[in-house]
Each structure stands twice: as structure tokens, then as C-alpha cells.
Amino acid sequence: MYVILVYDINLEDKEGQKILNKVFKACKKYLVHIQNSVFEGELLESQAIKLKAEIDKYIRHDKDSVILFKSRNQKWLEKQFWGKVEKDKTDNFL
């Protein structure tokens, strides 16, 4: 499946930055980082379950949030870039 993952970590306390770093590293293992708190890529269902379990260890469910958008395939998703875009990090061609 093709996914877009977006997270919002509350940084009002010292713990927030540590959690942000851990969530970022967990997402980076499975997906491509495309913008501040946004990742995308292809995942197997088993990988999505592992990623969720890993993130659940770190986030504070009363302060932080993660949203996972799922699609059967990337071709069903139209992307538009607005504003300053230096390079499409999601481009598969070199």
C-alpha cells in the first residue's frame, strides 16, 4: 500500500524534542521524508503494523498525534506542490 504519514509532536516541554527525534527516526526506517513532519512511501501491511507499534512506544496520546493516509497505489493519488519546491524528493528517477 502507498501511505502518507503526518505527525505533530507537542514541543512545549523538554520531552517533546526527544520524542520528535525518535518518531522521525522510526518513520525514516520505513518511509521517505518529504517535508518537516511528512513522510510517504510503499509499505506492506506488516511494516505498517511494526511502524505503528514503534511510534506508539514514543508518542504521548494526550499531546501528540500521527495520521496515516492509505491508498492502494501511488497512481491513485494526485500530488500538487505549491510554494517553494526545490526538488521533488519523491521522484523515483535519478
Side-chain angles (χ1 to χ4, degrees), residues 1 3 5 23-33 39-55 68:
M1 80 184 105
V3 303
L5 184 142
V23 170
F24 178 88
K25 288 177 184 178
C27 293
K28 190 83 172 150
K29 284 196 264 184
Y30 297 91
L31 300 166
V32 176
H33 181 230
F39 288 80
E40 72 175 354
E42 293 283 339
L43 285 181
L44 299 172
E45 188 66 38
S46 60
Q47 291 173 312
I49 291 168
K50 287 178 185 177
L51 177 57
K52 181 183 184 311
E54 191 168 342
I55 289 174
L68 185 70

Side-chain angles (χ1 to χ4, degrees), residues 8-24:
D8 187 15
I9 306 300
N10 186 316
L11 299 176
E12 291 180 358
D13 55 24
K14 289 188 286 186
E15 189 179 11
Q17 189 60 51
K18 291 177 187 177
I19 292 169
L20 178 69
N21 293 339
K22 290 176 182 181
V23 170
F24 178 88

